[in-house]
Amino acid sequence: MFTSVLLDATLQTGDYIGFTFFTGYMSMLAASIFFIVERGTVAEKWKTSLLVSALITFIAAVHYFYMRGVWLEKQISPTQFRYIDWTLTVPLMCVEYYLILKPAGASAGMLVRLILASLLMLVAGYIGEAVDMSNNILWGVISTVGWAVIIYEIYFGEAAKLAKASNNPIVQKGYNVLRWFTLVGWAIYPIGYMMLPGNLLHGLVEGHDFSKSSPVDLAYNIADAINKIGFGLVIYSIAKGATAEEKTMTVARA
Ligand SMILES: *C/C=C(C)/C=C/C=C(C)/C=C/C1=C(C)CCCC1(C)C
């Protein structure tokens, strides 16, 4: 009896969703340590950006620790953990945009717009996934409006103009990669969401027993690792590049 309990709480061969809960947890934790330690190697004005990168992966690591445990015991993943995590980490990603563009004159209004749009995206997504599931297409559409506002802001709005005006090639290049994450990397989430019962891509996973496990979790786990760690690494490389350049300039001036 005792062994059977233990076996149930062990990662099984072929449990690929469980596998991504473990790798997600461990890689987010490792990334947090990396950003914190490397924070000491960049110029003063970049330290907050690296701290925020570390907070994003650390908040995710703690949530993955819980989700991984629940998954092992019950083979389910409560939607609540997922959305509590995102409600904290996505606004922090908006803060990263703000911090990077602040030297170019980013306004608090830009930050507020990004955060409000991300909250619309997440609240609507949560309702569609956990509260009013039979209308998940409608809530998905409302959520996509929030995402579209963010895309508009970073490609055509104030943020885009500031990046162009910043006159710093390192920031501009990094900014382009960051917004590519927000456009392409973030697209994995709605694709996962559309595999929910009753939604547009559910046919792809027809026959999958959703009461046992959800392919939506697989999509979210992969997306989180790419978007949180990858995003943080881009911030890191901008900070490193700008720090090195400043040093060269100081030496040249001396
Ligand atoms: C670290 C977590 C991140 C970057 C989470 C991002 C989440 C999204 C971009 C979610 C988007 C959704 C839609 C655009 C429509 C369907 C519902 C969502 C919430 C999955």
Side-chain angles (χ1 to χ4, degrees):
M1 244 210 39
F2 182 63
T3 35
S4 91
V5 169
L6 267 184
L7 271 181
D8 281 342
T10 288
L11 189 59
Q12 304 291 331
T13 325
D15 178 3
Y16 47 91
I17 302 178
F19 189 84
T20 56
F21 274 118
F22 268 81
T23 45
Y25 164 57
M26 216 45 242
S27 54
M28 301 276 189
L29 193 61
S32 312
I33 296 171
F34 177 80
F35 294 136
I36 292 277
V37 172
E38 286 295 313
R39 193 176 162 270
T41 69
V42 300
E44 204 58 39
K45 64 174 178 200
W46 291 104
K47 288 194 193 305
T48 317
S49 297
L50 281 199
L51 177 62
V52 175
S53 292
L55 289 178
I56 292 170
T57 48
F58 185 71
I59 290 169
V62 174
H63 284 89
Y64 268 79
F65 180 77
Y66 278 103
M67 293 192 286
R68 180 204 54 91
V70 177
W71 181 267
L72 272 193
E73 266 179 42
K74 305 198 168 96
Q75 299 274 298
I76 55 162
S77 174
T79 308
Q80 294 83 298
F81 284 139
R82 189 72 79 181
Y83 277 85
I84 295 169
D85 172 334
W86 292 352
T87 309
L88 297 166
T89 52
V90 175
L92 283 175
M93 291 176 151
C94 301
V95 171
E96 295 277 40
Y97 274 113
Y98 172 73
L99 288 174
I100 278 208
L101 297 175
K102 213 172 131 199
S107 68
M110 182 202 93
L111 176 61
V112 171
R113 277 198 302 280
L114 287 174
I115 290 180
L116 287 180
S118 67
L119 289 179
L120 172 67
M121 176 179 90
L122 295 174
V123 169
Y126 180 73
I127 297 175
E129 206 165 326
V131 182
D132 185 19
M133 275 115 89
S134 55
N135 289 315
N136 63 24
I137 294 184
L138 173 67
W139 290 111
V141 171
I142 297 174
S143 169
T144 304
V145 172
W147 182 33
V149 171
I150 298 173
I151 299 292
Y152 180 84
E153 179 70 41
I154 58 180
Y155 276 90
F156 310 104
E158 183 190 327
K161 287 178 192 123
L162 288 171
K164 218 178 245 160
S166 84
N167 267 332
N168 182 337
I170 294 172
V171 169
Q172 283 166 344
K173 237 172 109 187
Y175 178 85
N176 284 343
V177 183
L178 285 182
R179 65 180 180 183
W180 192 85
F181 268 94
T182 305
L183 181 67
V184 180
W186 286 22
I188 305 170
Y189 297 96
I191 291 172
Y193 178 94
M194 283 191 280
M195 292 192 288
L196 287 171
N199 214 306
L200 306 177
L201 294 180
H202 185 62
L204 290 180
V205 290
E206 197 85 76
H208 190 98
D209 185 355
F210 272 71
S211 69
K212 287 233 170 64
S213 71
S214 169
V216 178
D217 279 306
L218 185 64
Y220 289 171
N221 288 356
I222 293 170
D224 273 353
I226 294 174
N227 289 301
K228 292 185 164 65
I229 300 172
F231 197 90
L233 285 173
V234 177
I235 304 273
Y236 168 72
S237 72
I238 298 175
K240 277 297 240 197
T243 304
E245 178 157 287
E246 253 163 58
K247 275 203 191 120
T248 342
M249 271 157 48
T250 326
V251 172
R253 236 182 275 135

